[in-house]
Amino acid sequence: MYVDDLYVILHAFWVDDSRPLLGFFRIQVSLLLLLCAVTASRPGAIVEGASAKGSNKALLFKHIELIKVRTIEDASKSTIVANVTLENVKNKETSGKPKKFSFRLEVTPAFCIVSHILSIGISQGLFMNEFTSVRQIFKLYIPPERESLHIKWKSQLLDQPFFCNVKSSSIGTGISREEAFPYAKLQQTFVRLGLLAGFKMRLELYSLRRGSGRNINSALDPVERNQVIGNTATTYEKHYTPLHIARDFQSIYFGSPAEDRLISSVGQMGLTRDRRAPTRLNEAQMKALREDPKFKTLCKKRDYYRSKLHGEGYRPISQARGTRLYGEYDRYKREVNNRLQKLVRDGIESARCDFYESIDSKEVKMQLDGTAAAEVPTLQTVEYELCERAAIASMLPKPFQDDSDRIEFIEKLAELCRKQEKRQTKTSNRKRTTGFNVDGGNDAQLSNKRIRGMAEVAEKDLPVSKLPLKLSYPMCLICIGNEAFADEVRMKPRPRKDVLNKHVDYHFSHPEFETPFQCFHPDCFRELVDKGHFKRHAYDVHNVLH
């Protein structure tokens, strides 16, 4: 994976990704990918490795130095550099040796490591001097009697991980400052971005290391290369030499003008990339997956134990914790989820293989026939809930012209660090918030007409057991589970938000909701903690806004 492929991944993360994330998480992942690529290091040297789970062995604040130094061209001017020391190297106890890298201000926003570090420090108030804006840092000057000026972190942070974990809870997503960012989460995000960016092959973080290794091998002498890669020459040649030999052998043999750049580009992972490749299954495909014999058998066993628990008066089911029946129910519930996840993964992989096998023939046929590609999927227009992300997405490929551009970029990153993106539902019974496109312009949104006649939607003729997960109109998700009521009472429309809130608050005044409980929707088995968790779950999963 070379620099062009890395930019494609970053572009997908900032421009194409529709998953709602904490802004801080998005910036952390971008910086992590840049560090992994530029240093050609194992991810375990930067984040908490899978083999060191729970140890907090990762890059710490004390391993990152921000320094203002004089520029080489003009000693009266200064610039900012970052020194990053990687101490958690492989075989550290025996022959492993820490590695120190220095990074300067990069001209391309997407690749500027220093800008990302500054944005995290400013947004979280991590600097000892408590700067109110990044502009203050750029205005600092170096005293005549000194050659540099260090920008210090707060002393209590020095032994804490710089890249920290982000966790979800009933009240939202939060930063776990003392817990290191786990390798598994970075790997999962990277794989997902590979699918989103349209790479044919499944990506892994070591793709960054191997791609960097080739450039490092050509730029450094063997001693420096072995120090950076952390391997001997024999190991490098065995595991890091690519299959594709990126040299123009026609030029070598025939003596014709060389086109090494063209030949090299043919070996890039992104050559077969297509962003239109499916990343999820449609409703018909999901319905077909649920017909899997093993899945249906597991569902029957899970439902059997659930009905047994209901028959013994356990409602919600979580009240039966510790009993033999609950243990069996919980086991089959987990097996159902695991089986479905495997079926979905295999289904997506199969759908992508079919796409890549057929897309070339379809496009060739289209060109030969001179017709529009009606069967070829097209990309949707990108919209953003947060204007900060829209601004960052538009700035990524544009080189900085001066420090003002750089400061604006860092400030946008810092503002995004403090915000949480929200899940966008397909339908909403309230006026939608203004969206932003890549160019920063506002898009017209749906009107805010009140929904009338909600009982006329398709669900009114369905029994409770057949209700879809995402409901077309708001109803009480607790009443749905009360089998003592008739279906029309259980599915009664409650279009007014204040009325629905009062109704739900009455339910939560009962002591049975003081302990964790299960969602009452017939096809949802999510365990919920409290009222806040319930309302967030109702909006995210069932499209019911309280």
Side-chain angles (χ1 to χ4, degrees):
M1 174 173 279
Y2 303 121
V3 63
D4 292 341
D5 299 321
L6 175 61
Y7 179 78
V8 165
I9 290 291
L10 294 173
H11 182 276
F13 195 36
W14 284 103
V15 178
D16 303 325
D17 188 22
S18 60
R19 179 168 294 189
L21 299 173
L22 188 67
F24 180 74
F25 178 85
R26 199 174 288 279
I27 293 166
Q28 276 201 137
V29 170
S30 295
L31 180 54
L32 281 168
L33 295 181
L34 291 174
L35 285 175
C36 288
V38 173
T39 63
S41 299
R42 297 178 178 87
I46 303 173
V47 298
E48 183 183 79
S51 60
K53 191 174 181 180
S55 66
N56 260 7
K57 286 185 177 180
L59 188 69
L60 307 180
F61 276 91
K62 65 182 179 182
H63 298 149
I64 299 177
E65 296 178 295
L66 285 171
I67 312 171
K68 290 215 73 171
V69 297
R70 302 186 191 279
T71 60
I72 300 300
E73 297 80 9
D74 186 351
S76 64
K77 296 181 180 180
S78 62
T79 186
I80 303 174
V81 297
N83 287 335
V84 178
T85 304
L86 303 182
E87 291 196 352
N88 298 310
V89 296
K90 189 176 181 179
N91 300 324
K92 177 182 177 181
E93 292 76 12
T94 55
S95 58
K97 182 180 178 182
K99 296 177 284 188
K100 188 173 184 177
F101 300 88
S102 295
F103 303 108
R104 53 176 171 78
L105 292 172
E106 180 67 48
V107 69
T108 305
F111 298 145
C112 189
I113 291 174
V114 177
S115 294
H116 284 72
I117 294 174
L118 285 171
S119 69
I120 292 175
I122 287 291
S123 66
Q124 304 296 308
L126 306 177
F127 293 116
M128 181 179 292
N129 294 98
E130 297 184 353
F131 301 102
T132 57
S133 72
V134 72
R135 192 176 299 275
Q136 293 177 323
I137 297 178
F138 276 84
K139 285 185 176 181
L140 294 174
Y141 63 90
I142 302 172
E145 60 274 9
R146 300 193 61 191
E147 295 300 322
S148 65
L149 187 66
H150 284 66
I151 303 167
K152 299 282 190 177
W153 305 108
K154 290 181 177 179
S155 57
Q156 63 267 30
L157 298 174
L158 295 180
D159 290 319
Q160 292 185 12
F162 182 82
F163 296 103
C164 53
N165 199 5
V166 174
K167 290 185 173 181
S168 299
S169 66
S170 59
I171 59 174
T173 306
I175 301 170
S176 181
R177 175 55 63 191
E178 297 183 357
E179 186 176 340
F181 197 102
Y183 169 83
K185 187 172 289 188
L186 181 61
Q187 170 72 0
Q188 290 168 4
T189 304
F190 191 60
V191 171
R192 181 176 67 83
L193 293 177
L195 296 177
L196 184 63
F199 284 94
K200 185 176 181 179
M201 296 176 59
R202 184 180 185 274
L203 298 187
E204 56 181 20
L205 286 171
Y206 259 70
S207 302
L208 292 173
R209 177 170 162 85
R210 294 188 183 99
S212 303
R214 183 177 183 274
N215 290 340
I216 288 173
N217 184 53
S218 60
L220 305 181
D221 61 51
V223 175
E224 292 174 322
R225 181 201 66 193
N226 294 341
Q227 180 185 0
V228 173
I229 299 295
N231 287 320
T232 62
T234 305
T235 304
Y236 174 83
E237 292 171 2
K238 182 177 180 180
H239 297 287
Y240 292 87
T241 304
L243 177 66
H244 181 257
I245 305 173
R247 296 295 299 273
D248 188 348
F249 284 91
Q250 288 172 264
S251 173
I252 294 173
Y253 185 79
F254 297 120
S256 54
E259 295 193 39
D260 286 331
R261 290 185 63 186
L262 173 64
I263 300 301
S264 178
S265 68
V266 175
Q268 292 185 5
M269 295 180 67
L271 187 70
T272 56
R273 187 177 67 86
D274 196 318
R275 291 166 56 205
R276 299 168 299 179
T279 59
R280 63 186 66 183
L281 302 179
N282 57 36
E283 291 183 6
Q285 291 169 324
M286 287 297 298
K287 185 177 180 181
L289 289 185
R290 294 179 184 275
E291 296 300 318
D292 174 69
K294 185 175 180 180
F295 177 75
K296 294 176 74 173
T297 301
L298 291 172
C299 286
K300 287 180 180 179
K301 292 181 178 179
R302 178 203 61 192
D303 294 343
Y304 168 77
Y305 285 105
R306 181 173 60 184
S307 62
K308 291 275 287 183
L309 288 168
H310 283 164
E312 294 192 8
Y314 292 111
R315 191 180 293 274
I317 290 178
S318 58
Q319 292 180 349
R321 272 200 184 94
T323 64
R324 184 190 65 82
L325 278 178
Y326 184 85
E328 291 296 314
Y329 163 76
D330 189 58
R331 178 167 71 90
Y332 283 113
K333 184 178 74 171
R334 283 186 277 107
E335 288 187 13
V336 165
N337 292 336
N338 292 339
R339 179 63 180 173
L340 183 59
Q341 289 176 10
K342 183 181 186 305
L343 290 172
V344 170
R345 286 196 302 268
D346 294 345
I348 292 174
E349 185 65 27
S350 176
R352 290 177 67 85
C353 287
D354 292 342
F355 174 86
Y356 285 112
E357 285 295 325
S358 62
I359 190 65
D360 293 298
S361 300
K362 286 182 179 179
E363 292 189 336
V364 170
K365 185 177 185 302
M366 174 193 69
Q367 294 181 35
L368 293 177
D369 295 344
T371 57
E375 297 182 6
V376 178
T378 56
L379 296 171
Q380 296 181 349
T381 304
V382 179
E383 295 181 356
Y384 306 107
E385 173 204 359
L386 300 178
C387 59
E388 292 84 2
R389 183 180 167 192
I392 293 168
S394 65
M395 296 170 72
L396 282 181
K398 301 175 183 177
F400 293 125
Q401 300 299 320
D402 50 34
D403 280 349
S404 296
D405 291 347
R406 192 184 304 277
I407 290 171
E408 181 185 1
F409 177 70
I410 298 173
E411 286 177 343
K412 291 298 182 185
L413 287 175
E415 290 171 12
L416 184 64
C417 258
R418 306 183 187 101
K419 296 190 176 182
Q420 164 73 56
E421 299 166 356
K422 295 180 182 178
R423 189 180 302 276
Q424 299 297 308
T425 56
K426 292 183 180 179
T427 58
S428 175
N429 62 335
R430 294 191 174 269
K431 185 176 180 180
R432 295 188 180 182
T433 55
T434 302
F436 297 87
N437 56 30
V438 177
D439 298 325
N442 293 346
D443 293 330
Q445 299 298 316
L446 299 181
S447 65
N448 62 344
K449 290 182 179 179
R450 297 182 64 181
I451 297 178
R452 302 180 185 275
M454 292 184 181
E456 299 299 321
V457 296
E459 279 91 326
K460 73 169 187 176
D461 296 321
L462 294 175
V464 172
S465 59
K466 299 293 184 181
L467 278 176
L469 271 179
K470 284 194 176 294
L471 305 172
S472 297
Y473 63 92
M475 63 179 77
C476 177
L477 286 168
I478 298 176
C479 288
I480 286 176
N482 194 336
E483 298 175 355
F485 293 156
D487 280 5
E488 58 266 28
V489 176
R490 297 166 71 181
M491 297 189 296
K492 179 181 177 181
R494 302 179 189 273
R496 287 185 55 180
K497 183 179 176 181
D498 57 337
V499 174
L500 179 60
N501 262 319
K502 288 181 181 179
H503 179 80
V504 170
D505 289 344
Y506 172 77
H507 282 303
F508 276 92
S509 65
H510 291 75
E512 65 183 279
F513 291 98
E514 294 178 0
T515 56
F517 56 95
Q518 194 174 38
C519 180
F520 295 94
H521 190 286
D523 286 333
C524 183
F525 311 102
R526 179 72 179 271
E527 185 169 288
L528 307 173
V529 178
D530 53 23
K531 183 167 65 174
H533 191 191
F534 167 82
K535 290 184 177 181
R536 181 64 181 263
H537 170 77
Y539 177 70
D540 289 346
V541 178
H542 303 297
N543 199 30
V544 176
L545 180 64
H546 291 83

